[in-house]
Amino acid sequence: MATLEQKLDVALWWKQMRETNNAHFLPLLFDKHRFLVLKGGGGSGKSIFAGRKILERVTNEPGHRYLVVRKVAKTLRESCFEQLKKQAYEYYADQIAFIPKGKGSDMYIRFKNGSEILFAGLDDVEKLKSIFDITGIWIEEASELEEGDFNQLDIRLRTEFPFYLQMILTFNPISITHWLKKRFFDTKDPRATVHESTYKDNRFLTPEARITLEAFRETDEYYYMVYCLGQWGVTGKTVFNGKAVAERLAYVEGQGWRKRGYFAYTLAPDDIHVSEWHWEDDENGPVILYAEPTEGRPYVVGGDTAGDYFVGQVLDNITGRQVCVLRHRYDEDTYARQMYCLGRYYNDALLGIETNFSTYPVKLLALMGYPKLYVREVEDDYTGRIKQAYGFQTNRTTRPVILSELIRVLRESMASINDRDTLLEMLTFVRREKDLQGEAESGAHDDCVLALAIAHYIRPQQTMEVKRPRGQGVRWSKDLWDDYNKATPAEREAMIRLWGRPE
């Protein structure tokens, strides 16, 4: 049973903790999970708390060899080393045994109980090799690491120790496609505690720093959402309106999809033509339908084959609304036949597939007798005459054109996008110094974006009129009715001319 003196000591310690730490982090002082993942916006105080917890542990648990790492060694001295020295002198000065001085000195902090804190960059291989019997790890700016780097550190944290082993990760959530998000946020790891914070949780933030952070809300709202509020995204120069994309993404993630599956088909004896095809529901299927085809309505399909995924983007040609997406790592022949069925399903849609990577899908579709393939004009290399060829070709001339048109269209109609993967790609489609039209950031994809750009570009080659039997009305989808009900009388007349009179 604890004595009164012991109880008073605990009460005094807890009073000091409450006075010198942010309340948002205090419960984590007692967290013993293998991974303590601290995601936060700029100025949230996550790194200060990480340092304080480490110092509490090393001064109260003898024998620690706590390792502090960043991707690059030279960034440690002015960040983690200086921070931990300051905190140690302020709160644990009587327990310090030795701290090297001088800019060229080794970086470590040794305590009277035998514990020590060591510092090393992942680029300093020889230094890391000399550090053994690690009892804890703090990875600052963990988003700088590759997943392989993290795994190697995780393996090294296996020392026999009377106290718990823990790895603390602190980082700003820069990229929505980062492995940290997939590993700790998209799926639940029972060995991890995940914590989120913003500058609003830091009561020690100076008024000047708070004003600086909040100013981004007026100058760059998307940057404010990502860097200051700690939302997943990218802090680079996004090609598309990052705020509008993020808002649309939040909306569609709550909507789900209407149907998901694939097209089952039977090949004719010649192994080329499709003799029969039909839709199959499959919750893991590669095709997501956001709107069923309306009878007589024109559609276009843009296809990209040059990336990691084979993609097909289906648009309602009258409204430009995205109604279906095919996305899968297909073989070329399977992709061509899925696109054949997809185009037929959407009223024999105009089908435009990129031919840069391979002309095989387009050639197979032509052999199969697909009724409406996109046609481009090309110059014959031998005669110099203009001839026609199937498929879309992306090159230095056409790529800026299709991307510029897509940027213009989506500036005015972000609500036309219904697909989560497409929106995620748009968030990570960033400008480079020599490529103002943009490209996927490192580790991300752009197949959906390019297929969408092709689909919008080929729309003029498809009709804008609804084909309907004489004397019969047209069955309108819910989306068309929503647009109609919001329209003016003049706009409604134009809609009926374009879409046909509803049943």
Side-chain angles (χ1 to χ4, degrees), residues 350-373:
L350 174 67
L351 201 56
I353 299 177
E354 184 186 45
T355 59
N356 290 55
F357 180 71
S358 172
T359 60
Y360 181 81
V362 170
K363 288 179 177 178
L364 181 56
L365 283 162
L367 286 172
M368 293 168 67
Y370 186 81
K372 200 160 191 179
L373 292 172

Side-chain angles (χ1 to χ4, degrees), residues 19 89 145 165 189 195 242 279 304 317-318 357 377 426 500:
E19 290 176 349
Y89 282 126
L145 272 63
L165 305 177
D189 187 335
H195 183 270
W279 173 264
D304 180 79
N317 201 45
I318 294 174
F357 180 71
E377 290 186 342
M426 289 167 63

Side-chain angles (χ1 to χ4, degrees), residues 53-270:
K53 178 171 185 177
I54 291 167
L55 287 165
E56 274 295 311
R57 292 200 64 194
V58 298
T59 55
N60 287 286
E61 300 169 358
H64 264 292
R65 284 174 60 81
Y66 215 104
L67 176 63
V68 179
V69 300
R70 286 191 65 170
K71 181 69 173 178
V72 180
K74 68 179 181 180
T75 61
L76 276 168
R77 186 174 296 276
E78 299 302 321
S79 57
C80 301
F81 185 49
E82 287 300 319
Q83 175 196 314
L84 283 165
K85 281 200 307 182
K86 181 179 179 181
Q87 288 179 300
Y89 282 126
E90 185 171 1
Y91 300 112
Y92 310 94
D94 60 333
Q95 300 183 58
I96 298 172
F98 186 71
I99 300 179
K101 295 181 179 180
K103 291 186 177 181
S105 63
D106 287 341
M107 292 182 287
Y108 64 90
I109 304 174
R110 190 169 294 148
F111 298 89
K112 293 176 180 178
N113 67 356
S115 291
E116 57 184 346
I117 303 174
L118 310 167
F119 300 80
L122 293 181
D123 59 333
D124 192 350
V125 178
E126 295 305 316
K127 177 71 176 292
L128 278 173
K129 285 180 180 178
S130 67
I131 300 175
F132 51 89
D133 293 336
I134 298 169
T135 60
I137 300 174
W138 173 23
I139 307 174
E140 170 69 325
E141 301 295 351
S143 57
E144 296 175 348
L145 272 63
E146 301 295 331
E147 189 169 10
D149 297 330
F150 170 81
N151 290 337
Q152 288 301 312
L153 290 171
D154 188 19
I155 291 171
R156 297 195 65 183
L157 190 61
R158 59 180 187 272
T159 307
E160 290 292 332
F161 192 57
F163 307 99
Y164 67 95
L165 305 177
Q166 185 175 71
M167 186 182 296
I168 301 176
L169 297 84
T170 54
F171 65 97
N172 296 327
I174 293 176
S175 176
I176 201 167
T177 61
H178 202 280
W179 65 266
L180 282 167
K181 180 175 185 294
K182 298 174 184 176
R183 182 157 183 163
F184 293 112
F185 294 83
D186 292 347
T187 57
K188 179 67 176 176
D189 187 335
R191 300 179 302 160
T193 292
V194 175
H195 183 270
E196 302 188 46
S197 58
T198 74
Y199 72 94
K200 297 179 181 180
D201 299 309
N202 186 0
R203 63 189 173 97
F204 302 108
L205 195 65
T206 65
E208 292 79 10
R210 189 176 298 272
I211 290 170
T212 298
L213 290 170
E214 292 184 340
F216 286 117
R217 184 162 42 194
E218 303 300 326
T219 60
D220 190 337
E221 191 170 1
Y222 179 65
Y223 185 84
Y224 175 79
M225 291 167 58
V226 176
Y227 180 73
C228 302
L229 297 186
Q231 297 180 18
W232 292 103
V234 291
T235 54
K237 295 291 184 180
T238 54
V239 169
F240 302 97
N241 184 321
K243 179 176 181 292
V245 177
E247 289 176 347
R248 184 63 182 172
L249 180 62
Y251 173 80
V252 303
E253 285 186 328
Q255 301 303 304
W257 54 76
R258 182 169 178 176
K259 284 197 341 184
R260 185 164 192 162
Y262 63 95
F263 292 99
Y265 54 83
T266 302
L267 288 180
D270 61 7

Side-chain angles (χ1 to χ4, degrees), residues 440-457:
E441 71 169 356
S442 178
H445 304 286
D446 60 10
D447 315 291
C448 290
V449 168
L450 293 174
L452 187 65
I454 292 170
H456 274 284
Y457 182 81

Side-chain angles (χ1 to χ4, degrees), residues 29-40:
L29 282 170
F30 312 102
D31 185 89
K32 297 183 179 181
H33 283 83
R34 172 76 173 189
F35 308 115
L36 180 56
V37 184
L38 305 182
K39 162 183 170 284

